[in-house]
Amino acid sequence: RHSTAITVTGHTDTIADPQFNYRLGLRRAQGVAILLQDQGVVEADLFVSSHGDADLMVKTAREVAEARNRRVEVIVR
């Protein structure tokens, strides 16, 4: 299906400091965006962002490794 609104959002766990995690989440999201572009998605249709460690799937304390929090969400509208 052709969509002109695709959001790619990177997330991390709480191991590093919040600024590092924001940048890491952004790099993850950018990597997925590149994969989508390689499959024919138009760059202008992508909105790439990061939540870093601010939107945990599994709530943890700081400095806790949790693999389920390290993810990229892709929402196609």
Side-chain angles (χ1 to χ4, degrees):
R1 112 180 188 195
H2 179 70
S3 176
T4 58
I6 301 171
T7 303
V8 183
T9 307
H11 301 268
T12 68
D13 60 19
T14 61
I15 286 296
D17 68 83
Q19 291 175 338
F20 177 87
N21 286 337
Y22 176 84
R23 292 188 305 271
L24 177 59
L26 189 57
R27 285 195 309 270
R28 286 181 177 153
Q30 289 168 334
V32 170
I34 289 169
L35 292 172
L36 291 172
Q37 290 174 51
D38 289 346
Q39 295 298 312
V41 174
V42 177
E43 183 177 4
D45 295 342
L46 294 169
F47 177 74
V48 179
S49 67
S50 174
H51 286 184
D53 60 20
D55 186 17
L56 301 174
M57 180 179 286
V58 178
K59 302 298 182 201
T60 65
R62 298 280 337 145
E63 304 296 323
V64 175
E66 174 53 62
R68 292 172 288 179
N69 288 329
R70 299 186 296 264
R71 67 196 191 281
V72 173
E73 294 178 332
V74 178
I75 299 173
V76 179
R77 292 190 181 96

